[in-house]
Every structure is written in structure tokens, then in C-alpha cells.
Amino acid sequence: MKKLVLLLVWCVFLCPMARSTSLCTAGTLASYESLGAGGCAIGTDLFSSFGNVPGTFGATELDPTLVSITPSGGASDPELTFSVSSSAVAPELFETIFTYELSNSVFLQSTISLANSSETVDGAVTDIQNLCAGGTFGPDGVDGCTGNSLTLLTLDGIQNSDNTSLGSVSSVAVTDDFTVDGGTAGSASGGTFTDAFTAQSSVVTTTPEPANTWPLAILIVLLFLGLQSQLRSKKS
């Protein structure tokens, strides 16, 4: 009987932890998209709801399986670094544009940086980040922001980093638009771009889903009935 009681205690305190959000690990844009609204966490910061949005007319979309993602940092400085190995020769234009949401902390600043890219003549490698601080975007991931709309820009060789204050918000909608553009007579290749955030982390309590409470309730009832049966057997 003692073993059953210990099992019950373990389930009450540890089962909810087992159901909590998983930590972010290295993967691809496709694998992050498959996480859905559950997302993954860096510290207490939740990255979720990754998805592609409509891109530039005439651009060739980069395969999400070929966009690598490496998480780093902690609850106060979460980062996602995106790596692309793509080359464009005029008039080619390659693009990956996707959106995601960041929540579970108080977010103070967003910083983007661009590296490992090159271009010739009028070719260009760019990353534009659209932010909706304290709100969400419409379906295109750019318009219809219900909070404070902000934009950051990097252009390789001219401006390789940019940052902005987010105020103090508990959620941020983010859209990254990364392009490798051969221009009209040049070429371009790249690269890596990083989304970095400054956050004041907060403790978030994970509430078990209602559907998961039934097995626990049934276990409690069965343990109670088993205990009552043993007590009656001893008395008889």
C-alpha cells in the first residue's frame, strides 16, 4: 500500500511537469512550425505558432527544411539564429518569410543581426523584422497589428544590426523577411540572421489540461477503494 501512495504522490507533483512545454533545441523552420501553439521554451520564454506567410511577388520561397534554427541564451536574453545556404544570380530572388509569437515574460527590447553574407554589383542580402509589441498581426504577418507596430532592418555591408525598445510587453508577434537578391546584374549569397530579445523573466505556472485530470481522479478513487478493502479484510 505504501508503494501505491508513493506512486500517487509522484503523479500529483511530477506528472504536470512532464506535460510542460519542451525546451527549444536545434532544428529547422519546418520542425519549429510543427510545434504549433505549444511551441518550445528558452528559460520561461515561449516561442510558438511558427508559420509561413505570403512573400514578395516573383520571389522563390526557400524550403523551410533548409532553414536551420539554433536557440541560445536564457530567460533574460533568448535568441534564435537562423541559417540559410543560398546563392542568387541576377535576376533570381530567394526569400523566407515567417511569423512566430513570443510570450511568458516582460519583453523590453528586440535586436536583429546579419552575418555570413556577400553580394556583388547590385545584389543584396536583407532581413526585415516586423514586430507587433503587445498584440498580434493579421493573416499576412505584417498588417493589422493590434499592439505597437515596429520595424527593424539589416542590409549586409551597410547595416548589419538594428534594435528597438518594445516598452514592457508580455507578448510579441514577430515576422522575419529574409531575402537573397541577385539584383539586375549581380549576385548574392547568405547567410545567418539572429533574433535576440531582452526580457525580464517571470515565473509561469503550468496548469494541467482538464482532460488529464480524469486519470488522476480515477487513480485516487481506486486507491481509496483498495485501502477500504484491506481494512475490512483485517477486521474480519
Side-chain angles (χ1 to χ4, degrees):
M1 191 63 195
K2 289 183 179 179
K3 291 183 179 180
L4 291 175
V5 172
L6 290 174
L7 176 62
L8 174 60
V9 171
W10 179 89
C11 192
V12 168
F13 290 100
L14 298 183
C15 286
M17 293 176 63
R19 292 190 294 269
S20 62
T21 301
S22 61
L23 297 179
C24 293
T25 58
T28 65
L29 178 56
S31 67
Y32 271 64
E33 289 174 348
S34 69
L35 297 174
C40 63
I42 297 178
T44 55
D45 307 321
L46 178 66
F47 291 82
S48 63
S49 302
F50 284 77
N52 290 325
V53 294
T56 305
F57 178 77
T60 300
E61 180 184 0
L62 293 171
D63 190 331
T65 63
L66 300 180
V67 179
S68 300
I69 302 179
T70 303
S72 60
S76 62
D77 58 349
E79 295 186 7
L80 292 179
T81 297
F82 305 86
S83 300
V84 174
S85 178
S86 181
S87 297
V89 177
E92 295 176 321
L93 171 61
F94 297 103
E95 179 179 39
T96 178
I97 177 169
F98 56 89
T99 186
Y100 63 88
E101 295 179 9
L102 180 59
S103 59
N104 279 17
S105 291
V106 176
F107 300 99
L108 309 176
Q109 180 173 286
S110 176
T111 301
I112 62 173
S113 58
L114 179 63
N116 301 320
S117 299
S118 63
E119 53 284 316
T120 65
V121 194
D122 62 346
V125 179
T126 62
D127 178 40
I128 299 173
Q129 185 185 79
N130 291 291
L131 300 157
C132 184
T136 58
F137 287 117
D140 67 356
V142 178
D143 300 314
C145 172
T146 59
N148 184 22
S149 182
L150 303 162
T151 301
L152 297 177
L153 169 66
T154 54
L155 175 61
D156 186 56
I158 297 177
Q159 178 171 287
N160 284 75
S161 65
D162 198 6
N163 66 81
T164 186
S165 170
L166 299 173
S168 297
V169 296
S170 59
S171 66
V172 186
V174 184
T175 299
D176 272 294
D177 185 357
F178 176 78
T179 60
V180 180
D181 185 359
T184 60
S187 63
S189 64
T192 62
F193 56 103
T194 299
D195 292 356
F197 301 91
T198 302
Q200 178 182 331
S201 61
S202 58
V203 177
V204 177
T205 302
T206 303
T207 303
E209 297 178 2
N212 292 328
T213 62
W214 282 106
L216 181 57
I218 293 172
L219 178 60
I220 293 172
V221 172
L222 291 175
L223 287 172
F224 176 77
L225 292 176
L227 179 60
Q228 290 293 95
S229 177
Q230 286 193 8
L231 290 174
R232 285 196 296 268
S233 298
K234 290 181 179 179
K235 289 180 181 180
S236 60

